[in-house]
Amino acid sequence: MKTDNQKAWFLVLPVLVLVSFSAVIPLMTVVNYSVQDTFGNNVFFWAGLEWFDQMLRSERMWNALGRQLAFSSIILAIEVPLGVFVALNMPKKGVWASVCLVLMSLPLLIPWNVVGTIWQIFGRVDIGLLGYALDAIGIDYNYTQGFYAAWATVIVMDVWHWTSLVALLAYAGLQSIPDAYYQAAKIDQASRWAVFRYIELPKMLGVLMIAILLRFMDSFMIYTEPFVVTGGGPGNATTFLSIDLVKMALGQFDLGPAAAFSLMYFLVIMVISFVFYTVMTSLDKRDAK
Amino acid sequence: MTDATAQAPGASSLPEDLTAERNASRVGRRFGPSGSAVVMVLYLLFLMLPIYWLLNMSLKTNNEILGAFSLWPRNATLQNYVTILTDPSWYMGYVNSLIYVLMNTAISLTVALPAAYAFSRYNFMGDKHLFFWLLTNRMAPPAVFALPFFQLYSSVGLFDTHIAVALAHALFNVPLAVWILEGFMRGVPKEIDETAYIDGYSFGRFFVKIFMPLISSGIGVAAFFCFMFSWVELLLSRTLTSVDAKPIAATMTRTGGAGGIDWGVLAAAGVLTIIPGALVVFFVRNYIAKGFALGRV
């Protein structure tokens, strides 16, 4: 069991200093901007909660949030069942298991802008295999102009990029099931579905929870991949929260509204992180029993 | 028989024939013997096809790419790779990326190791809150930090240096490393620490000589994840650099020239960015899931 020791603070001090430097100071800059206004020349004056008020009324932010939630829900609805399904079909051991693990990990290790580039090249009607094939069978597909084509591309790209993560975690959960469980199920003449429902699913639940929350969180912050492929277009069709924020802060230099936007965005993430943390610690406690 | 089943934690204590029978019936009950193989082949095909297409493009000249549509390069050429490997504005992108990625990995591990040990071994005031606060940084959207980072590092004169990017990436890599390492460390029995102290080891000597070798796989996995997340990130590294420390990912965004985008060179650059990940993934393939689960599988 753990022992009480206040000197342990010295061991975490380096982390505290480093992360404070990278997190607290920049965050305070954001807070600073969010309550001030400027007419240039670095002259700032107090604006109170004006920016927050403005952003909460701004249709632009609500639309971006709506698109973001739609995107995150869709990719979760596809990636989680697909990932579990793939994990159930993976070879249990041997050379093929290694081959599958390595090949499946590959998309996870590709720089995010290159993921965008890959799908750009793959999806273009003139040079891409996918775009060319769809065009050849008569489907009107152009991800830079069509609303549905753009969404479909961004979603398929994310499924391509991240389903393996869900599959790997589910696979790790499956590996931890002792053979005796299957043995008992066999004696009880359990159906395939019952084996999945009462043995495999409960054993996978812990890691699956982590997978779902990680995927939700990361899809909620997605920036690079859709930015490279669609640039947030056509129009604003695929402008998710991060894309909109960067556009506002670094593109238009609307510091006040962007800072208020950032803080509210961060708040949402904090709430989700708290749920995540609570789930994880309760799982750890369950494991410890 | 039922007794044996109920208490057996592993398959080793089961009769051989029953285990074999069980495996056979499980496979049979699924989609037939080859059903799983078909699913896996289809899924891997889906994963590999876009990568193959990138490779295909990288071996073609721009004329061939835009001219005739073909499933494989007719006149395979390495010209695109030659272009990248001989032009400093291209290959320095790789060098820059590697420099800040390695710096970040070193920094993250150095500070995360003692912290993870503290979290896995001791209760101290505010430990739970500190741990949660670290987690929120892993989950913080880089977009929120892009502008303040730019201003912070400009004001301290670190803009466009490798260390700036390494420190910025520490924002999400240090928490990640702490979580992964803590997961591995809690698997090491505490009796080992106590025995070492009784034997007269100092903390530092015990940590380096005894403890670190015990969790070497954990350190490897944490290093791999730091490497990976720093390598794939673009938004912060692009915002914090302009010329001297410009990463390859940012270099790739400027391939549009007078004659349109040079697709061949772009594809070749993409292929080259996949290689480092592909090389190291082989060594950690069995731990990847554990890393992604923050050490909790």
Side-chain angles (χ1 to χ4, degrees):
Chain A
M1 225 30 242
K2 291 184 184 182
T3 45
D4 284 315
N5 187 347
Q6 301 303 336
K7 282 187 200 134
W9 265 102
F10 288 110
L11 294 174
V12 294
L13 204 62
V15 164
L16 195 67
V17 171
L18 184 66
V19 180
S20 295
F21 179 72
S22 310
V24 179
I25 298 176
L27 206 60
M28 287 322 292
T29 323
V30 179
V31 173
N32 215 359
Y33 281 130
S34 73
V35 291
Q36 296 189 71
D37 199 357
T38 177
F39 292 119
N41 297 331
N42 270 332
V43 182
F44 289 90
F45 56 87
W46 177 254
L49 295 177
E50 198 183 303
W51 296 127
F52 289 90
D53 193 49
Q54 187 188 325
M55 286 318 291
L56 280 174
R57 286 165 205 273
S58 127
E59 224 167 274
R60 174 177 172 178
M61 193 183 98
W62 288 110
N63 287 340
L65 183 67
R67 283 189 290 268
Q68 184 69 68
L69 286 173
F71 175 75
S72 292
S73 332
I74 293 173
I75 61 116
L76 275 181
I78 299 174
E79 287 175 14
V80 173
L82 184 64
V84 172
F85 181 65
V86 168
L88 288 171
N89 285 298
M90 272 175 77
K92 294 282 168 265
K93 44 176 120 37
V95 183
W96 288 112
S98 295
V99 170
C100 285
L101 281 173
V102 171
L103 289 183
M104 281 168 61
S105 314
L106 214 50
L108 304 172
L109 301 160
I110 300 176
W112 295 341
N113 71 309
V114 179
V115 171
T117 306
I118 288 176
W119 279 86
Q120 209 179 9
I121 289 179
F122 195 56
R124 278 178 68 102
V125 180
D126 53 347
I127 60 169
L129 185 59
L130 178 72
Y132 193 84
L134 286 176
D135 197 48
I137 58 172
I139 294 173
D140 181 25
Y141 172 84
N142 187 335
Y143 66 80
T144 52
Q145 271 145 40
F147 175 86
Y148 293 106
W151 266 83
T153 309
V154 173
I155 286 169
V156 171
M157 175 171 68
D158 201 77
V159 168
W160 177 84
H161 192 183
W162 289 110
T163 302
S164 295
L165 168 67
V166 182
L168 286 173
L169 287 171
Y171 178 69
L174 283 176
Q175 294 284 59
S176 70
I177 303 177
D179 257 1
Y181 284 51
Y182 291 112
Q183 188 68 48
K186 166 105 173 74
I187 289 166
D188 291 346
Q189 307 252 308
S191 67
R192 179 75 192 91
W193 168 250
V195 170
F196 175 72
R197 172 69 188 77
Y198 295 105
I199 297 178
E200 290 172 336
L201 194 60
K203 273 282 172 184
M204 269 193 288
L205 207 58
V207 269
L208 214 50
M209 213 63 190
I210 295 176
I212 291 171
L213 286 157
L214 271 183
R215 276 317 299 135
F216 180 79
M217 215 83 75
D218 285 346
S219 68
F220 215 75
M221 312 190 285
I222 192 166
Y223 171 80
T224 312
E225 302 96 311
F227 180 77
V228 172
V229 175
T230 65
N236 276 331
T238 51
T239 302
F240 302 122
L241 282 175
S242 278
I243 297 182
D244 208 16
L245 178 58
V246 172
K247 221 186 254 177
M248 204 186 286
L250 295 174
Q252 303 160 342
F253 257 89
D254 283 336
L255 296 184
F261 187 165
S262 295
L263 286 180
M264 290 188 277
Y265 190 7
F266 197 45
L267 202 68
V268 174
I269 296 280
M270 283 273 279
V271 171
I272 302 166
S273 296
F274 185 71
V275 174
F276 184 84
Y277 183 70
T278 316
V279 170
M280 295 258 283
T281 39
S282 69
L283 284 173
D284 282 351
K285 267 188 207 128
R286 199 192 63 183
D287 287 349
K289 267 178 202 165
Chain B
M1 185 61 245
T2 24
D3 279 345
T5 319
Q7 57 176 243
S12 52
S13 58
L14 292 170
E16 201 52 45
D17 56 325
L18 258 173
T19 317
E21 193 190 333
R22 200 268 301 166
N23 283 339
S25 73
R26 244 176 96 212
V27 172
R29 222 186 282 149
R30 224 165 257 166
F31 309 92
S34 60
S36 299
V38 172
V39 170
M40 285 318 291
V41 167
L42 283 177
Y43 180 65
L44 291 178
L45 208 62
F46 167 62
L47 291 187
M48 290 305 125
L49 216 50
I51 298 181
Y52 165 72
W53 200 249
L54 187 76
L55 192 66
N56 179 12
M57 287 290 155
S58 74
L59 295 172
K60 291 179 179 181
T61 62
N62 231 12
N63 282 333
E64 197 186 341
I65 291 171
L66 295 171
F69 187 85
S70 62
L71 291 175
W72 59 88
R74 294 282 151 77
N75 311 303
T77 168
L78 290 174
Q79 191 50 47
N80 296 320
Y81 292 94
V82 173
T83 306
I84 290 174
L85 296 174
T86 52
D87 179 356
S89 70
W90 268 110
Y91 69 73
M92 278 316 284
Y94 288 98
V95 176
N96 289 333
S97 288
L98 279 173
I99 291 175
Y100 72 68
V101 166
L102 291 176
M103 275 169 123
N104 172 271
T105 308
I107 295 173
S108 303
L109 284 184
T110 312
V111 298
L113 270 167
Y117 181 79
F119 282 122
S120 75
R121 290 293 189 263
Y122 302 119
N123 286 321
F124 49 95
M125 207 173 60
D127 54 351
K128 305 245 163 23
H129 300 100
L130 189 64
F131 211 55
F132 173 65
W133 174 68
L134 282 177
L135 172 70
T136 60
N137 289 309
R138 164 64 182 84
M139 304 304 178
V144 167
F145 288 93
L147 179 67
F149 270 162
F150 174 75
Q151 293 181 318
L152 173 66
Y153 289 111
S154 301
S155 68
V156 292
L158 284 176
F159 178 72
D160 202 19
T161 57
H162 300 101
I163 190 78
V165 184
L167 285 175
H169 284 179
L171 173 71
F172 47 83
N173 270 349
V174 167
L176 185 77
V178 172
W179 275 66
I180 294 176
L181 289 171
E182 198 262 349
F184 276 89
M185 283 177 185
R186 72 166 64 181
V188 178
K190 210 169 176 230
E191 286 71 31
I192 291 181
D193 308 27
E194 281 149 11
T195 316
Y197 294 139
I198 292 168
D199 288 351
Y201 276 83
S202 68
F203 175 73
R205 215 168 126 235
F206 153 74
F207 199 81
V208 176
K209 293 259 174 189
I210 297 180
F211 198 69
M212 279 174 57
L214 282 175
I215 52 153
S216 53
S217 58
I219 296 176
V221 175
F224 169 76
F225 271 83
C226 290
F227 181 91
M228 170 188 150
F229 277 108
S230 186
W231 180 255
V232 298
E233 207 277 338
L234 170 73
L235 179 55
L236 292 178
S237 54
R238 197 188 57 184
T239 311
L240 290 176
T241 55
S242 61
V243 184
D244 293 340
K246 190 174 189 169
I248 181 61
T251 315
M252 284 182 68
T253 54
R254 55 110 233 205
T255 41
I261 297 174
D262 194 343
W263 293 107
V265 174
L266 188 66
V271 171
L272 289 176
T273 61
I274 300 178
I275 291 173
L279 284 180
V280 282
V281 72
F282 182 76
F283 297 103
V284 293
R285 62 187 181 283
N286 293 322
Y287 295 102
I288 278 199
K290 186 157 183 160
F292 270 114
L294 301 167
R296 276 156 179 74
V297 178

